[in-house]
Amino acid sequence: MDLKQIEYFVRVAELGSFTRASIVLDIAQPALSRQIRQLEVELRQTLLLRNGRGVTLTEAGKLLLEHGRGVLHQVERAKEELGRVRGALAGKVALGLPPSLSRVLSVPLSRAFRTRLPQASLAIREGLSANMLEALRNGRLDIALLYNPVPSSDIDITPLCDEALYLVELADGDAAPGAVSLAELAAKPLVIPSQPHAIRMLVESQLGAQGLRPTIALEIDSVPAILELVADGAGCAVLSRLAVSTSDKAARLRLRPIGEPGLVSRLALAVSSHRPSTLTQQAMQELVREMVPPIVTGKVLPAA
C-alpha cells in the first residue's frame, strides 16, 4: 500500500465514481481501476462495490476511507511543518465563493493570501451553494462561503455576517419610493434564481410565512444576467446592495428596502467536519473571518 493508492481510493470513494475521479486526478480510468484493485488484493478486502451508477463502499471500504483521510491529512501536515522550517507555510487551499461575491472578494482575498502566505497556493472557484456543499463533502473544496446554509452533520458552519436584501427595479427618473412590504413584493414580477439557490429559498420561505407566494417572471441563476434583465425592463429582483453596486448597470437601477420583517441573508464560512483543516487552511479561514464581513457589510471598500 502506498500513498498514491490511498489518495486514489479516497477520491473514488468521495466522488462515488471511477469516471469522475479519473477526471479530477487526471489519470486514465483503467489505470485508476488497477491501482484500486491492487489495493484490494493487498488488503484482501473488497473496498468498493461497482454498479451502473458508480461505486458504493463496503464496511471495509468505510473503515479505510476514515483511516485514509487521516493518513493524507497527516502527510499534508508534515509537508507544512517542513515548510515552516524553511520559514513559511506552503500548503494548498481551495476556496469556493458565491457568484455574487466572487467579483468583489477574489482580488482582495488573493492579495492578502499572497502577502500572508507567500509560499502557499490558492484556488478560488465560483459556484452555487448546493454545488459548493457537495464539493466540500468530496474534498474538491476546503473552504466555502455559503448563504443561509442548512445545518448538517458533515459540515461545520461559522456565521460571518448578515446582509440585507433589497427590491431592485429599473429607475424611472422619479423620486425613489420608500420601502416595499412583503405583500407588495409578492405582487412584483421577479427575475430570480431557480431552486435551490439561497435567495430563492429565502424569498419563498419568508413570503410563505405570510401566506404569500412570489410572482416569477423569469428564472435565471446568474446575478449579472438578472441585473441585465432588470435593466432591460423584464422585471424586478431581490439582491444585496453589494451585488448591485458592482454591476455596470447600477446607474440604471434603484434599490428599495423591504419592510418588516424584511429579508436578511446570512453569510457563513463552511468546512467539512470529516476532514481536519491543515495549518494553511486554518490561516485562510482566519483571513476570511477578518476580511469578508467588513467588505460585505460595506464598512470597507473592496480592493480594486
Side-chain angles (χ1 to χ4, degrees), residues 9-31:
F9 167 75
V10 168
R11 191 48 60 96
V12 172
E14 290 181 334
L15 292 174
S17 164
F18 277 94
T19 302
R20 289 194 289 270
S22 68
I23 294 171
V24 171
L25 293 166
D26 194 23
I27 179 176
Q29 188 171 330

PDB file of all heavy atoms in Angstrom, residues 9-31:
ATOM      1  N   PHE A   9      -7.939   5.905  -3.783  1.00  0.00           N
ATOM      2  CA  PHE A   9      -9.103   5.274  -3.162  1.00  0.00           C
ATOM      3  C   PHE A   9     -10.003   6.322  -2.511  1.00  0.00           C
ATOM      4  O   PHE A   9     -11.233   6.299  -2.684  1.00  0.00           O
ATOM      5  CB  PHE A   9      -8.661   4.243  -2.120  1.00  0.00           C
ATOM      6  CG  PHE A   9      -9.789   3.796  -1.230  1.00  0.00           C
ATOM      7  CD1 PHE A   9     -10.766   2.930  -1.697  1.00  0.00           C
ATOM      8  CD2 PHE A   9      -9.900   4.282   0.073  1.00  0.00           C
ATOM      9  CE1 PHE A   9     -11.825   2.548  -0.886  1.00  0.00           C
ATOM     10  CE2 PHE A   9     -10.950   3.909   0.876  1.00  0.00           C
ATOM     11  CZ  PHE A   9     -11.918   3.042   0.407  1.00  0.00           C
ATOM     12  N   VAL A  10      -9.422   7.241  -1.751  1.00  0.00           N
ATOM     13  CA  VAL A  10     -10.203   8.268  -1.069  1.00  0.00           C
ATOM     14  C   VAL A  10     -10.984   9.109  -2.073  1.00  0.00           C
ATOM     15  O   VAL A  10     -12.166   9.405  -1.879  1.00  0.00           O
ATOM     16  CB  VAL A  10      -9.294   9.155  -0.194  1.00  0.00           C
ATOM     17  CG1 VAL A  10     -10.047  10.404   0.287  1.00  0.00           C
ATOM     18  CG2 VAL A  10      -8.772   8.371   1.000  1.00  0.00           C
ATOM     19  N   ARG A  11     -10.336   9.472  -3.176  1.00  0.00           N
ATOM     20  CA  ARG A  11     -11.020  10.316  -4.146  1.00  0.00           C
ATOM     21  C   ARG A  11     -12.162   9.560  -4.843  1.00  0.00           C
ATOM     22  O   ARG A  11     -13.242  10.120  -5.050  1.00  0.00           O
ATOM     23  CB  ARG A  11     -10.019  10.852  -5.164  1.00  0.00           C
ATOM     24  CG  ARG A  11     -10.568  11.966  -6.065  1.00  0.00           C
ATOM     25  CD  ARG A  11     -11.288  13.043  -5.269  1.00  0.00           C
ATOM     26  NE  ARG A  11     -10.462  13.710  -4.298  1.00  0.00           N
ATOM     27  CZ  ARG A  11      -9.834  14.862  -4.509  1.00  0.00           C
ATOM     28  NH1 ARG A  11      -9.940  15.448  -5.677  1.00  0.00           N
ATOM     29  NH2 ARG A  11      -9.137  15.418  -3.548  1.00  0.00           N
ATOM     30  N   VAL A  12     -11.937   8.291  -5.202  1.00  0.00           N
ATOM     31  CA  VAL A  12     -13.016   7.499  -5.810  1.00  0.00           C
ATOM     32  C   VAL A  12     -14.171   7.341  -4.826  1.00  0.00           C
ATOM     33  O   VAL A  12     -15.340   7.490  -5.193  1.00  0.00           O
ATOM     34  CB  VAL A  12     -12.495   6.107  -6.244  1.00  0.00           C
ATOM     35  CG1 VAL A  12     -13.653   5.218  -6.680  1.00  0.00           C
ATOM     36  CG2 VAL A  12     -11.498   6.243  -7.386  1.00  0.00           C
ATOM     37  N   ALA A  13     -13.845   7.081  -3.556  1.00  0.00           N
ATOM     38  CA  ALA A  13     -14.885   6.891  -2.539  1.00  0.00           C
ATOM     39  C   ALA A  13     -15.682   8.172  -2.337  1.00  0.00           C
ATOM     40  O   ALA A  13     -16.917   8.134  -2.212  1.00  0.00           O
ATOM     41  CB  ALA A  13     -14.245   6.441  -1.226  1.00  0.00           C
ATOM     42  N   GLU A  14     -15.016   9.304  -2.296  1.00  0.00           N
ATOM     43  CA  GLU A  14     -15.703  10.575  -2.057  1.00  0.00           C
ATOM     44  C   GLU A  14     -16.551  10.997  -3.246  1.00  0.00           C
ATOM     45  O   GLU A  14     -17.642  11.543  -3.073  1.00  0.00           O
ATOM     46  CB  GLU A  14     -14.688  11.658  -1.709  1.00  0.00           C
ATOM     47  CG  GLU A  14     -14.051  11.473  -0.335  1.00  0.00           C
ATOM     48  CD  GLU A  14     -13.070  12.567   0.016  1.00  0.00           C
ATOM     49  OE1 GLU A  14     -12.494  13.188  -0.914  1.00  0.00           O
ATOM     50  OE2 GLU A  14     -12.853  12.797   1.220  1.00  0.00           O
ATOM     51  N   LEU A  15     -16.051  10.753  -4.445  1.00  0.00           N
ATOM     52  CA  LEU A  15     -16.791  11.151  -5.646  1.00  0.00           C
ATOM     53  C   LEU A  15     -17.821  10.106  -6.067  1.00  0.00           C
ATOM     54  O   LEU A  15     -18.713  10.399  -6.856  1.00  0.00           O
ATOM     55  CB  LEU A  15     -15.816  11.406  -6.797  1.00  0.00           C
ATOM     56  CG  LEU A  15     -14.900  12.624  -6.633  1.00  0.00           C
ATOM     57  CD1 LEU A  15     -13.880  12.687  -7.749  1.00  0.00           C
ATOM     58  CD2 LEU A  15     -15.710  13.910  -6.587  1.00  0.00           C
ATOM     59  N   GLY A  16     -17.677   8.887  -5.555  1.00  0.00           N
ATOM     60  CA  GLY A  16     -18.636   7.840  -5.868  1.00  0.00           C
ATOM     61  C   GLY A  16     -18.582   7.342  -7.291  1.00  0.00           C
ATOM     62  O   GLY A  16     -19.540   6.752  -7.788  1.00  0.00           O
ATOM     63  N   SER A  17     -17.448   7.556  -7.964  1.00  0.00           N
ATOM     64  CA  SER A  17     -17.374   7.197  -9.380  1.00  0.00           C
ATOM     65  C   SER A  17     -15.926   7.141  -9.834  1.00  0.00           C
ATOM     66  O   SER A  17     -15.148   8.064  -9.559  1.00  0.00           O
ATOM     67  CB  SER A  17     -18.139   8.225 -10.217  1.00  0.00           C
ATOM     68  OG  SER A  17     -17.809   8.133 -11.579  1.00  0.00           O
ATOM     69  N   PHE A  18     -15.556   6.067 -10.551  1.00  0.00           N
ATOM     70  CA  PHE A  18     -14.229   5.997 -11.154  1.00  0.00           C
ATOM     71  C   PHE A  18     -14.088   7.049 -12.254  1.00  0.00           C
ATOM     72  O   PHE A  18     -13.019   7.627 -12.433  1.00  0.00           O
ATOM     73  CB  PHE A  18     -13.982   4.591 -11.727  1.00  0.00           C
ATOM     74  CG  PHE A  18     -13.526   3.589 -10.716  1.00  0.00           C
ATOM     75  CD1 PHE A  18     -14.441   2.760 -10.074  1.00  0.00           C
ATOM     76  CD2 PHE A  18     -12.180   3.466 -10.389  1.00  0.00           C
ATOM     77  CE1 PHE A  18     -14.026   1.829  -9.138  1.00  0.00           C
ATOM     78  CE2 PHE A  18     -11.757   2.544  -9.450  1.00  0.00           C
ATOM     79  CZ  PHE A  18     -12.676   1.723  -8.817  1.00  0.00           C
ATOM     80  N   THR A  19     -15.161   7.255 -12.994  1.00  0.00           N
ATOM     81  CA  THR A  19     -15.099   8.214 -14.102  1.00  0.00           C
ATOM     82  C   THR A  19     -14.799   9.616 -13.598  1.00  0.00           C
ATOM     83  O   THR A  19     -13.903  10.301 -14.098  1.00  0.00           O
ATOM     84  CB  THR A  19     -16.421   8.219 -14.888  1.00  0.00           C
ATOM     85  OG1 THR A  19     -16.674   6.899 -15.377  1.00  0.00           O
ATOM     86  CG2 THR A  19     -16.358   9.194 -16.045  1.00  0.00           C
ATOM     87  N   ARG A  20     -15.566  10.072 -12.585  1.00  0.00           N
ATOM     88  CA  ARG A  20     -15.338  11.419 -12.050  1.00  0.00           C
ATOM     89  C   ARG A  20     -13.966  11.525 -11.398  1.00  0.00           C
ATOM     90  O   ARG A  20     -13.274  12.532 -11.536  1.00  0.00           O
ATOM     91  CB  ARG A  20     -16.439  11.775 -11.050  1.00  0.00           C
ATOM     92  CG  ARG A  20     -17.797  12.023 -11.700  1.00  0.00           C
ATOM     93  CD  ARG A  20     -18.749  12.696 -10.725  1.00  0.00           C
ATOM     94  NE  ARG A  20     -19.178  11.798  -9.653  1.00  0.00           N
ATOM     95  CZ  ARG A  20     -20.244  11.032  -9.721  1.00  0.00           C
ATOM     96  NH1 ARG A  20     -21.004  11.038 -10.802  1.00  0.00           N
ATOM     97  NH2 ARG A  20     -20.587  10.252  -8.706  1.00  0.00           N
ATOM     98  N   ALA A  21     -13.563  10.476 -10.681  1.00  0.00           N
ATOM     99  CA  ALA A  21     -12.263  10.513 -10.012  1.00  0.00           C
ATOM    100  C   ALA A  21     -11.113  10.553 -11.018  1.00  0.00           C
ATOM    101  O   ALA A  21     -10.113  11.244 -10.806  1.00  0.00           O
ATOM    102  CB  ALA A  21     -12.105   9.298  -9.095  1.00  0.00           C
ATOM    103  N   SER A  22     -11.242   9.840 -12.127  1.00  0.00           N
ATOM    104  CA  SER A  22     -10.174   9.836 -13.128  1.00  0.00           C
ATOM    105  C   SER A  22     -10.001  11.222 -13.737  1.00  0.00           C
ATOM    106  O   SER A  22      -8.878  11.647 -14.040  1.00  0.00           O
ATOM    107  CB  SER A  22     -10.469   8.810 -14.227  1.00  0.00           C
ATOM    108  OG  SER A  22     -11.588   9.197 -15.008  1.00  0.00           O
ATOM    109  N   ILE A  23     -11.108  11.953 -13.883  1.00  0.00           N
ATOM    110  CA  ILE A  23     -11.029  13.318 -14.414  1.00  0.00           C
ATOM    111  C   ILE A  23     -10.347  14.244 -13.414  1.00  0.00           C
ATOM    112  O   ILE A  23      -9.445  15.010 -13.763  1.00  0.00           O
ATOM    113  CB  ILE A  23     -12.441  13.837 -14.764  1.00  0.00           C
ATOM    114  CG1 ILE A  23     -13.026  13.018 -15.922  1.00  0.00           C
ATOM    115  CG2 ILE A  23     -12.400  15.316 -15.118  1.00  0.00           C
ATOM    116  CD1 ILE A  23     -14.493  13.304 -16.190  1.00  0.00           C
ATOM    117  N   VAL A  24     -10.765  14.167 -12.153  1.00  0.00           N
ATOM    118  CA  VAL A  24     -10.195  15.028 -11.115  1.00  0.00           C
ATOM    119  C   VAL A  24      -8.723  14.727 -10.892  1.00  0.00           C
ATOM    120  O   VAL A  24      -7.898  15.640 -10.734  1.00  0.00           O
ATOM    121  CB  VAL A  24     -10.989  14.867  -9.800  1.00  0.00           C
ATOM    122  CG1 VAL A  24     -10.278  15.577  -8.649  1.00  0.00           C
ATOM    123  CG2 VAL A  24     -12.398  15.404  -9.961  1.00  0.00           C
ATOM    124  N   LEU A  25      -8.366  13.440 -10.888  1.00  0.00           N
ATOM    125  CA  LEU A  25      -6.984  13.039 -10.637  1.00  0.00           C
ATOM    126  C   LEU A  25      -6.105  13.101 -11.878  1.00  0.00           C
ATOM    127  O   LEU A  25      -4.880  12.962 -11.778  1.00  0.00           O
ATOM    128  CB  LEU A  25      -6.961  11.604 -10.084  1.00  0.00           C
ATOM    129  CG  LEU A  25      -7.570  11.409  -8.698  1.00  0.00           C
ATOM    130  CD1 LEU A  25      -7.787   9.928  -8.428  1.00  0.00           C
ATOM    131  CD2 LEU A  25      -6.679  12.021  -7.628  1.00  0.00           C
ATOM    132  N   ASP A  26      -6.730  13.295 -13.045  1.00  0.00           N
ATOM    133  CA  ASP A  26      -6.013  13.346 -14.316  1.00  0.00           C
ATOM    134  C   ASP A  26      -5.238  12.047 -14.563  1.00  0.00           C
ATOM    135  O   ASP A  26      -4.032  12.050 -14.846  1.00  0.00           O
ATOM    136  CB  ASP A  26      -5.057  14.549 -14.361  1.00  0.00           C
ATOM    137  CG  ASP A  26      -4.545  14.831 -15.780  1.00  0.00           C
ATOM    138  OD1 ASP A  26      -5.224  14.418 -16.737  1.00  0.00           O
ATOM    139  OD2 ASP A  26      -3.472  15.447 -15.910  1.00  0.00           O
ATOM    140  N   ILE A  27      -5.935  10.933 -14.417  1.00  0.00           N
ATOM    141  CA  ILE A  27      -5.354   9.616 -14.649  1.00  0.00           C
ATOM    142  C   ILE A  27      -6.367   8.801 -15.444  1.00  0.00           C
ATOM    143  O   ILE A  27      -7.580   8.953 -15.263  1.00  0.00           O
ATOM    144  CB  ILE A  27      -4.998   8.917 -13.310  1.00  0.00           C
ATOM    145  CG1 ILE A  27      -4.411   7.523 -13.565  1.00  0.00           C
ATOM    146  CG2 ILE A  27      -6.197   8.832 -12.397  1.00  0.00           C
ATOM    147  CD1 ILE A  27      -3.951   6.825 -12.294  1.00  0.00           C
ATOM    148  N   ALA A  28      -5.875   7.959 -16.342  1.00  0.00           N
ATOM    149  CA  ALA A  28      -6.780   7.136 -17.147  1.00  0.00           C
ATOM    150  C   ALA A  28      -7.578   6.202 -16.240  1.00  0.00           C
ATOM    151  O   ALA A  28      -7.054   5.664 -15.264  1.00  0.00           O
ATOM    152  CB  ALA A  28      -5.984   6.327 -18.166  1.00  0.00           C
ATOM    153  N   GLN A  29      -8.847   6.006 -16.588  1.00  0.00           N
ATOM    154  CA  GLN A  29      -9.709   5.198 -15.734  1.00  0.00           C
ATOM    155  C   GLN A  29      -9.213   3.759 -15.577  1.00  0.00           C
ATOM    156  O   GLN A  29      -9.253   3.220 -14.462  1.00  0.00           O
ATOM    157  CB  GLN A  29     -11.135   5.216 -16.268  1.00  0.00           C
ATOM    158  CG  GLN A  29     -12.139   4.567 -15.335  1.00  0.00           C
ATOM    159  CD  GLN A  29     -13.577   4.778 -15.784  1.00  0.00           C
ATOM    160  OE1 GLN A  29     -13.898   5.782 -16.408  1.00  0.00           O
ATOM    161  NE2 GLN A  29     -14.448   3.834 -15.475  1.00  0.00           N
ATOM    162  N   PRO A  30      -8.733   3.080 -16.639  1.00  0.00           N
ATOM    163  CA  PRO A  30      -8.218   1.716 -16.435  1.00  0.00           C
ATOM    164  C   PRO A  30      -7.055   1.667 -15.454  1.00  0.00           C
ATOM    165  O   PRO A  30      -6.966   0.744 -14.630  1.00  0.00           O
ATOM    166  CB  PRO A  30      -7.780   1.302 -17.850  1.00  0.00           C
ATOM    167  CG  PRO A  30      -8.626   2.130 -18.767  1.00  0.00           C
ATOM    168  CD  PRO A  30      -8.772   3.447 -18.075  1.00  0.00           C
ATOM    169  N   ALA A  31      -6.161   2.678 -15.513  1.00  0.00           N
ATOM    170  CA  ALA A  31      -5.026   2.717 -14.591  1.00  0.00           C
ATOM    171  C   ALA A  31      -5.507   2.942 -13.161  1.00  0.00           C
ATOM    172  O   ALA A  31      -4.985   2.347 -12.207  1.00  0.00           O
ATOM    173  CB  ALA A  31      -4.055   3.818 -15.004  1.00  0.00           C
TER     174      ALA A  31
END
